[in-house]
Amino acid sequence: MTVEHGRSVKPEGVGARVPRKEDARHLHGKGNFVADMAMPGLCEVAFLRSPLAHARIAAARVDDSVAACVVLRPDMADCKDIVADSTLPTYQPSAQPPLASGKVRFVGEPVAMAFAPTRAEAEDHIELVDIDYDDLPVYADVYSAQAATGELVHEDWKDNVFVTLSADREFDTLAAQADVVVNRRMRLARQCMVPMEGKAVLAYWDHQADQLVVYSATQVPHMIRTVLAECLGLEQGRVRVISPDVGGAFGYKCVLQQEELCIAWLAKTYKRPFRFIEDRREHLTAGANSREHHYEMTAYTDRRGKLLALDARITIDGGAYSVWPFTIGLEPGQAVGNLPGPYAFRGYRCVTRAVATNKPGFVPYRGVARTGVCFAIELMMDAIAREVGREPWEVRLDNLVQAEQMPYVNVANKHLDSGDYPASLRKALEMIDAPGVRARQERGESDGRLIGLGVATYTEQAAHGTSVFATWGTPVIPGFDQATARITPDGGLEVRVGVHSHGQGMETTFAQIANEILGIPVARIKVLHGDTGQTPYSTGTYASRSLVMSGGAVSQACKRLLPRVMHIAAHLLQTPEEQLSVGDGRFVVGSAPDRAVSMGDIADAWYLKPHLLPPDVDPLGLEVTVGYKPKVDTGCFTYASQAATVAVDPATGGVEILDYVVVEDCGTMINPMVVEGQTMGGIAQGIGTAFYEETPYDANGQPLASTLADYMLPGPTEIPHMRMHHFETPSPHTEFGAKGMGEGGAIAPPAVLFNAVNDALRALGAAELAQTPLTPYRVLQAIAQGSEREKNSQPKAA
């Protein structure tokens, strides 16, 4: 793997390939997850879940033998519903009760909960609860939901549409100038997130602190504290949320879950510990879903495929409830804003709506709408190229924002801050050997398989801040992230941040940032996170923001701390500060290594020997808390080009990925190894979206994939060897020029692989594939449709 930059890198500082500190405890089985915790008197909780997608609750009966340990919604009168409100003008809010009240709105919705010393006993108790239901019309897709006139998902609404958003920029004028018009429809299937660890929450009442303590596998502990306190009627100071080790999240754990609220209510009410661990079946049937987008796209271009205007209709299946805090409005907001991607055109009309259906609620998933919009715009680019008779990459190179145009404000008012998009595509084509692939296609394969080449270029809006979220109308708007840096009495460093890591390596990268500034060895830097009782406030880890926002706060805190430390060091060495250099935890006078003091010497003077301190020492000491957000909070834009070569078997519909390359630019990399790991993991998820993952429902709203035998996931044998190349174009808005990139790898693979398969099937005249997942059946169906079309186009014999 190659990195293009001209800067020097400190052994453990910014840009160094430092092994992840957190890996050791996980590799040795020493992680601390909610399921690992033991506590006297702990009760496990099981939920009775609705077997119907839409029905009124006519009656509920609980056997007397378990009545003391079963809870229904009327028993929780002192607990508020979850309401994710929004300032978007067309938005209709939904109230999500912790347990179903009045009616159920999707299969798997919690209706009752039972607790017992073991999960098995709690499940036995649930068996003694009977619910009578009266069926209601089921809206299992966006079409039936939009056609409904009565018995809506939410009774007080005017229709089954959460929100409608639109944009119109010079569309009519520029569309009228087009020589070529291309129409396409695309669809992404509904998916689950499937982290290794599902929902997990344990809560108890701390009598000494007079405080509710909630251990939750969450990405956003501070925000969860806010909403738990609100729903339970407690002051925030009486709620402490701790997020321990988290086994993956991907957006699934960045919202308040019904089960979190239920367990917290039990602990508050009964003043004893309770725990719920989601099993895989619950996750697949009742956990939040994502990705289900429907696109109707029309592109208006000149004769060579230069895009003049784009018209889009995007319909999103939002499920039954809008989630707190991001609301369902985030998904259509991201869709309408990010559909133009890396392309420079000025005519744009887009209408996007989120529709309520009888399915689990829609949660932001790694990529948040951008996987869908990348799929749509990149398949459209290939369709344009076919229409005008040019190579797909030639059309893209003509349409991409050029390096000399940066910074560039695009048609959707996205502030693209830096980069060279065409260079990334050219490098990907070079790495994949596009001419060689075309020559191989001409020769043909001895085994009869067909070779295809697919490409895609995308942007990843990262670390978008106050002004962006305010336009989406969410009830929580991110502002300054804070970090605390404190020199410990023995000369180490303690860093506290409000974000939480669930696989991103923050314990390492934040330590590298601190090392870059203070010179303290990474091994002596402790990063504390995930505990509202010990860390400064942050809205949490989501939207590829943590490295930029909290990492920036760490940088600023260390920069504020450095002059105080330098002043003490200079006094101890009796030398001017400007003659000191810092490195490896020591302050050295000029080039004389024998004249030095360590960070431990400075800490010793502050904590234990204050008589050695300078008379004008800063009384604020060796601890700093700083708030930070980038100079421009419209976000920084990571980008990449990905390309793949595939082989398609026209007899079986099977697809093999032969080669996969990535050319990415996330600005200055804090740790290239972490960047590569995040990218590879994202691509694995993107391959799942492209080829395997789907949560289908029947007409009655019943989920048809309730186990991992039905819900297919890619495994090690399905993930190809990936080759990666890095550019580093620093962002002008952030500390060190770093950009977020945690979601990027997952954005492009569906578009890349569909384009590659469609390219392979051109030789057969097959119908274009544009619906995920790309299964062997759908490949064979496309071939058959092409054959039928070819047969029907033949002149009939006289």
Side-chain angles (χ1 to χ4, degrees):
M1 299 186 185
T2 309
V3 182
E4 292 190 354
H5 59 68
R7 59 185 174 80
S8 60
V9 175
K10 294 181 180 179
E12 292 189 321
V14 170
R17 291 178 173 269
V18 177
R20 298 200 325 173
K21 298 176 65 176
E22 47 269 70
D23 288 350
R25 69 175 182 271
H26 295 305
L27 291 171
H28 289 90
K30 303 298 183 183
N32 183 35
F33 297 87
V34 173
D36 297 323
M37 297 175 181
M39 190 171 290
L42 178 64
C43 284
E44 304 289 353
V45 177
F47 288 90
L48 175 66
R49 299 182 180 273
S50 170
L52 301 177
H54 199 196
R56 297 199 186 282
I57 299 175
R61 294 177 297 278
V62 181
D63 190 278
D64 290 344
S65 64
V66 296
C69 52
V70 170
V71 177
L72 298 165
R73 180 62 178 112
D75 302 319
M76 302 176 69
D78 58 339
C79 182
K80 296 179 182 177
D81 290 349
I82 304 167
V83 179
D85 215 341
S86 171
T87 58
L88 293 172
T90 62
Y91 180 83
Q92 299 191 96
S94 60
Q96 183 176 20
L99 296 172
S101 177
K103 74 172 185 176
V104 293
R105 294 179 172 88
F106 65 90
V107 172
E109 181 168 8
V111 179
M113 59 180 169
F115 54 88
T118 68
R119 172 69 177 255
E121 291 174 274
E123 290 177 351
D124 287 344
H125 295 344
I126 283 295
E127 293 292 325
L128 298 176
V129 180
D130 290 323
I131 308 293
D132 293 339
Y133 298 98
D134 292 335
D135 287 357
L136 292 172
V138 173
Y139 309 113
D141 56 60
V142 295
Y143 307 109
S144 62
Q146 290 179 98
T149 56
E151 296 291 356
L152 302 177
V153 176
H154 297 279
E155 299 82 352
D156 56 336
W157 287 13
K158 62 183 180 180
D159 55 28
N160 279 329
V161 179
F162 280 108
V163 65
T164 302
L165 303 176
S166 61
D168 196 328
R169 307 281 189 275
E170 301 181 57
F171 175 78
D172 290 331
T173 301
L174 290 166
Q177 300 174 18
D179 300 305
V180 177
V181 179
V182 182
N183 299 287
R184 290 294 187 276
R185 290 190 175 192
M186 303 88 168
R187 179 182 174 183
L188 277 81
R190 201 169 189 84
Q191 284 184 242
C192 293
M193 286 72 163
V194 203
M196 292 181 70
E197 176 197 36
K199 297 176 189 174
V201 56
L202 182 156
Y204 68 94
W205 191 266
D206 184 334
H207 293 276
Q208 182 179 17
D210 193 29
Q211 186 180 57
L212 174 66
V213 179
V214 180
Y215 283 88
S216 178
T218 180
Q219 303 168 227
V220 290
H222 286 274
M223 286 205 290
I224 294 301
R225 178 182 68 172
T226 295
V227 69
L228 286 178
E230 179 181 331
C231 289
L232 296 174
L234 294 171
E235 297 175 359
Q236 288 199 38
R238 297 186 73 197
V239 180
R240 179 182 179 186
V241 175
I242 302 170
S243 186
D245 284 325
V246 175
F250 313 123
Y252 184 54
K253 301 172 184 174
C254 73
V255 302
L256 177 66
Q257 313 279 0
Q258 288 171 283
E259 294 89 348
E260 284 176 306
L261 181 54
C262 286
I263 301 305
W265 179 87
L266 286 170
K268 175 205 169 193
T269 303
Y270 291 95
K271 300 296 191 291
R272 56 189 294 190
F274 296 86
R275 175 167 59 190
F276 167 70
I277 304 293
E278 178 185 68
D279 65 28
R280 192 57 62 187
R281 183 180 176 86
E282 286 177 306
H283 177 77
L284 292 173
T285 58
N289 298 168
S290 195
R291 290 282 192 262
E292 189 172 354
H293 288 203
H294 304 251
Y295 291 86
E296 298 177 32
M297 304 270 286
T298 305
Y300 297 81
T301 80
D302 66 14
R303 288 184 177 85
R304 290 182 53 79
K306 183 71 172 72
L307 187 59
L308 303 176
L310 180 67
D311 188 17
R313 297 288 183 272
I314 308 172
T315 306
I316 296 166
D317 188 325
Y321 295 106
S322 184
V323 295
W324 193 97
F326 297 111
T327 82
I328 188 59
L330 179 65
E331 192 78 11
Q334 286 270 43
V336 70
N338 285 286
L339 180 60
Y343 298 109
F345 61 93
R346 306 314 301 177
Y348 185 44
R349 184 170 67 192
C350 181
V351 176
T352 177
R353 59 177 52 89
V355 178
T357 61
N358 293 121
K359 298 174 185 173
F362 195 107
V363 165
Y365 179 31
R366 193 176 193 175
V368 187
R370 286 159 293 186
T371 299
V373 298
C374 177
F375 184 73
I377 193 70
E378 291 300 306
L379 264 63
M380 182 58 79
M381 282 293 164
D382 268 39
I384 292 168
R386 282 190 286 273
E387 190 71 25
V388 301
R390 301 179 69 199
E391 288 283 16
W393 48 86
E394 293 174 345
V395 170
R396 284 175 172 80
L397 289 169
D398 284 351
N399 281 288
L400 288 169
V401 175
Q402 303 298 303
E404 61 270 19
Q405 294 177 281
M406 291 291 185
Y408 181 84
V409 179
N410 77 358
V411 69
N413 199 37
K414 297 300 179 188
H415 294 242
L416 310 180
D417 53 321
S418 60
D420 190 336
Y421 301 169
S424 75
L425 178 55
R426 293 189 185 97
K427 184 63 179 179
L429 293 168
E430 173 192 322
M431 292 173 66
I432 205 76
D433 186 16
V437 175
R438 286 291 184 244
R440 182 175 177 180
Q441 287 176 319
E442 288 292 325
R443 291 193 303 270
E445 300 294 299
S446 59
D447 59 6
R449 294 194 299 175
L450 303 171
I451 301 300
L453 171 59
V455 298
T457 299
Y458 68 88
T459 58
E460 177 191 1
Q461 184 180 10
H464 29 294
T466 304
S467 62
V468 177
F469 273 90
T471 65
W472 291 331
T474 55
V476 174
I477 309 294
F480 289 90
D481 261 49
Q482 292 181 299
T484 298
R486 178 170 65 196
I487 304 295
T488 60
D490 61 356
L493 182 70
E494 188 178 84
V495 173
R496 296 173 184 258
V497 291
V499 295
H500 185 66
S501 179
H502 42 271
Q504 298 93 332
M506 293 180 202
E507 293 173 35
T508 304
T509 52
F510 287 0
Q512 289 182 252
I513 290 170
N515 170 270
E516 179 78 17
I517 297 162
L518 295 175
I520 299 172
V522 165
R524 301 211 61 209
I525 300 174
K526 177 71 173 176
V527 177
L528 301 175
H529 54 104
D531 184 344
T532 63
Q534 296 190 35
T535 63
Y537 186 85
S538 167
T539 55
T541 299
Y542 56 91
S544 300
R545 69 185 301 275
S546 298
L547 193 283
V548 172
M549 301 297 290
S550 279
V554 171
S555 173
Q556 285 290 310
C558 291
K559 287 177 179 178
R560 298 275 185 92
L561 191 55
L562 182 60
R564 301 183 196 176
V565 176
M566 291 280 282
H567 187 54
I568 297 172
H571 180 76
L572 293 176
L573 290 166
Q574 293 297 298
T575 191
E577 291 180 33
E578 57 269 20
Q579 293 185 13
L580 296 181
S581 61
V582 59
D584 198 26
R586 300 171 74 244
F587 292 85
V588 181
V589 178
S591 57
D594 55 324
R595 291 198 61 201
V597 292
S598 69
M599 194 69 76
D601 295 329
I602 295 165
D604 191 55
W606 172 260
Y607 289 106
L608 301 176
K609 300 173 183 175
H611 60 287
L612 300 179
L613 296 172
D616 58 346
V617 69
D618 191 329
L620 295 177
L622 303 184
E623 179 173 340
V624 173
T625 298
V626 174
Y628 170 83
K629 63 179 180 179
K631 302 169 191 174
V632 177
D633 74 354
T634 52
C636 47
F637 281 80
T638 292
Y639 66 96
S641 291
Q642 298 182 9
T645 306
V646 303
V648 181
D649 187 335
T652 66
V655 179
E656 180 186 359
I657 304 172
L658 303 177
D659 196 9
Y660 205 106
V661 302
V662 182
V663 180
E664 73 86 34
D665 185 344
C666 61
T668 302
M669 292 185 286
I670 304 301
N671 186 324
M673 185 173 62
V674 170
V675 169
E676 290 154 10
Q678 287 286 297
T679 302
M680 292 175 185
I683 290 172
Q685 288 182 296
I687 290 171
T689 297
F691 286 159
Y692 303 104
E693 296 185 53
E694 181 176 19
T695 303
Y697 287 80
D698 69 12
N700 294 315
Q702 293 292 328
L704 302 179
S706 61
T707 72
L708 292 180
D710 308 306
Y711 189 93
M712 302 301 293
L713 292 167
T717 58
E718 286 75 48
I719 304 303
H721 173 69
M722 303 169 202
R723 296 183 291 126
M724 202 173 303
H725 182 91
H726 301 287
F727 292 158
E728 287 192 279
T729 311
S731 170
H733 307 317
T734 68
E735 291 287 292
F736 305 110
K739 304 179 184 182
M741 52 69 56
E743 300 169 274
I747 292 174
V752 172
L753 295 169
F754 268 71
N755 283 338
V757 171
N758 283 328
D759 182 62
L761 296 180
R762 281 186 312 157
L764 301 180
E768 289 178 25
L769 289 151
Q771 178 179 346
T772 68
L774 200 160
T775 61
Y777 173 79
R778 286 180 174 147
V779 171
L780 294 176
Q781 194 175 42
I783 294 171
Q785 288 171 355
S787 299
E788 184 67 21
R789 186 173 56 209
E790 177 68 19
K791 183 175 70 174
N792 291 336
S793 67
Q794 296 296 326
K796 294 182 179 179

